[in-house]
Structures are given as structure tokens and as C-alpha cells.
Amino acid sequence: MKPKASPEYRSNSAPISPEGATLMIASTRNYVAYAWNFLFNHEVSPLRNIPDVGIRHYVLQVLGFMWAVSSSIAIGSYTFLAASVIGHTVLIGAAAITVATLTAAANSPKLFIRGSSRRNDGEHE
């Protein structure tokens, strides 16, 4: 690790210059454009090796449909994940309380008699 006095040292919290931000945005834009062309341009993607343009288009459509369906299923399951987690937590909690109650009733039934406003002989006070 270089000492802090070194001119090459740059902490993670140092601000990015406007030129650096412009370069970062430009490189991100170039990456997105390259990825888009690689996937959707039939003259650039590996689908270019399929000689028939119609089959090439069909394969691209099938892949697009597959990704649309799988993405919508994933997003739908993520949406209902919180409700599912809460519901399962409530069910598991109810089961745990039931087991604890039944275990306490079996091991020490007098636990349930205390606080009923009766004396030990069963009469009111």
C-alpha cells in the first residue's frame, strides 16, 4: 500500500472529476451499445452463423419470448416473496406457541391454575 503522501494515492471517498465522470459514462454507454448489438443485431451476434435469415429471426424471437416469460415469473415471485415470508413466519410462530403450550400443560399443569383468583382449595378469595 502506498503512503498517503504519494501523488498516486487516491482514497475511495475522493470526488470524481467531471472529465472522469464523462469517461465513465461514455465507457458505460459503449458497453451497453456493444451488449445490445451482440444480443440483438443478427449480423454481429453468434446467430450470424445460421445461414437462413428467417430461421435466425425465429431463433431470436423464441429467445426473446423465453426471456420475457422467465423475467415476468421472476419479478412476480419476488413481488409476492414478502407476503409469503410473513405468512410462513406467522404459521411457524403459531405452531411454536402451540407446542410450547402443550408441553407446558403436560409438564406443569399447575402453571395454568395460577392467577385464576382462587385459593389453593378452589374457593374465591
Side-chain angles (χ1 to χ4, degrees):
M1 184 166 144
K2 297 181 181 183
K4 286 189 176 184
S6 172
E8 294 90 23
Y9 178 79
R10 184 175 182 166
S11 70
N12 289 335
S13 62
I16 297 174
S17 68
E19 296 83 19
T22 303
L23 287 174
M24 186 170 47
I25 290 171
S27 66
T28 303
R29 186 180 309 131
N30 289 340
Y31 175 76
V32 170
Y34 172 79
W36 181 271
N37 283 327
F38 183 78
L39 292 173
F40 298 114
N41 187 347
H42 69 94
E43 295 173 350
V44 177
S45 77
L47 295 178
R48 70 179 180 272
N49 297 321
I50 299 173
D52 186 6
V53 177
I55 299 295
R56 214 184 293 175
H57 178 72
Y58 174 74
V59 169
L60 187 61
Q61 289 294 321
V62 168
L63 289 173
F65 180 73
M66 176 197 68
W67 277 102
V69 169
S70 62
S71 297
S72 65
I73 289 172
I75 290 170
S77 67
Y78 298 153
T79 302
F80 292 108
L81 178 65
S84 177
V85 167
I86 291 169
H88 281 86
T89 303
V90 168
L91 287 174
I92 291 169
I97 290 170
T98 301
V99 168
T101 303
L102 296 177
T103 303
N107 292 338
S108 56
K110 293 189 180 202
L111 180 68
F112 295 95
I113 296 174
R114 268 189 277 161
S116 64
S117 298
R118 295 190 180 261
R119 293 191 310 228
N120 286 341
D121 62 356
E123 292 297 321
H124 291 287
E125 293 183 327

